[in-house]
Amino acid sequence: MKMMVKNNPDVREKALEHGMSYPYDEELLMLILGSGTKEMPVEIMAHKIREVLDASNPDQVVKNLMAVKGIGAGKALAVAAALELGKRRNGHLKKKIACPSDIVPFVRNYAVSNKEHFLMITLDGGYQIIQIHVVSVGTMNRSLIHPREIFSDAIKDNATAIILCHNHPSGDCTPSEDDLKATRSLLRASEIMGIEILDHIIVSCDNYCSFMEGDILFHSD
């Protein structure tokens, strides 16, 4: 059977030019593998791995890949790791958010950073997650945001509502005066844009603070 894959340099060029959604599954596997072996070119290896993935349950992937002659533990683990990373990074898609704590598991990975990440989560009319956007990455104590950056992505996503979120590298989730000022500014902009801000959540490794739950979000001076 003829395989519809290109050689490795062509796959890289295709991904760079068109984005990661453009290559076929086997071409994506070629990018993960990097190279094949003397006995098995990368194109053949990618084809065999794709067949194994199509026939395997998630917990069987590594074992089944290693059962294929020419695919060792390194290649099998690289593929399994890529699958797991993709699952973790995209597990939030279409998840329904009913309360502030529902969003925390999907942003907790930012809590371990020593830089402040300001995130904006877009939601559809059913309060399902459309996407998690990194709006800015600041210094240890400050992250600068602007309403334009927030709502341009919300408009592109056709979002009905958004949730704001950022991490406090210090581990203290108490909102700062800058946090309050930024939230008030964004609330004013949201009234003009017609996209509701449901909450602003601050996360750390073992805690979080919800402006909504703390009756902070809609306070004004």
Side-chain angles (χ1 to χ4, degrees):
M1 182 178 69
K2 187 176 180 180
M3 293 173 293
M4 299 297 292
V5 293
K6 305 288 187 181
N7 59 51
N8 213 21
D10 286 347
V11 174
R12 287 195 294 267
E13 290 168 10
K14 181 186 293 188
L16 288 170
E17 181 179 356
H18 301 288
M20 294 306 296
S21 62
Y22 193 82
Y24 296 110
D25 286 0
E26 290 179 16
E27 293 173 327
L28 290 175
L29 285 167
M30 289 165 63
L31 290 174
I32 294 168
L33 295 168
S35 63
T37 64
K38 191 181 221 181
E39 296 76 23
M40 187 184 297
V42 67
E43 296 91 343
I44 304 296
M45 186 178 291
H47 178 68
K48 287 182 177 293
I49 288 175
R50 199 259 310 157
E51 289 185 327
V52 170
L53 295 179
D54 287 347
S56 299
N57 292 322
D59 59 346
Q60 301 172 325
V61 167
V62 173
K63 180 185 72 172
N64 290 351
L65 286 176
M66 291 179 63
V68 178
K69 185 178 179 181
I71 299 176
K75 300 289 190 186
L77 288 170
V79 171
L83 292 173
E84 179 62 23
L85 183 61
K87 183 175 72 174
R88 293 184 188 184
R89 288 287 174 168
N90 294 288
H92 60 274
L93 299 179
K94 293 299 181 181
K95 296 292 185 181
K96 185 176 178 65
I97 302 301
C99 62
S101 60
D102 289 345
I103 201 69
V104 174
F106 304 120
V107 297
R108 182 74 80 185
N109 56 299
Y110 292 97
V112 299
S113 176
N114 62 358
K115 290 186 178 181
E116 194 169 285
H117 290 66
F118 196 96
L119 313 173
M120 188 267 296
I121 299 94
T122 51
L123 306 172
D124 63 19
Y127 294 155
Q128 296 181 109
I129 297 176
I130 301 172
Q131 193 56 265
I132 296 176
H133 297 271
V134 178
V135 178
S136 69
V137 180
T139 61
M140 184 73 172
N141 297 313
R142 185 174 178 83
S143 180
L144 301 177
I145 57 171
H146 191 281
R148 178 176 59 250
E149 297 170 317
I150 296 289
F151 290 102
S152 61
D153 283 331
I155 291 169
K156 288 176 186 175
D157 286 357
N158 197 27
T160 299
I162 63 175
I163 294 174
L164 309 174
C165 179
H166 73 282
N167 63 304
H168 274 185
S170 66
D172 181 0
C173 291
T174 305
S176 68
E177 187 59 36
D178 282 345
D179 295 336
L180 297 174
K181 287 179 180 178
T183 304
R184 292 188 184 106
S185 173
L186 292 171
L187 278 168
R188 288 192 292 269
S190 75
E191 293 176 359
I192 297 171
M193 299 303 300
I195 300 175
E196 184 181 9
I197 297 176
L198 299 179
D199 203 350
H200 186 165
I201 298 174
I202 302 171
V203 294
S204 67
C205 290
D206 54 7
N207 200 6
Y208 77 92
C209 170
S210 159
F211 283 32
M212 179 65 76
E213 287 181 345
D215 198 24
I216 301 169
L217 187 59
F218 298 105
H219 277 190
S220 59
D221 293 330

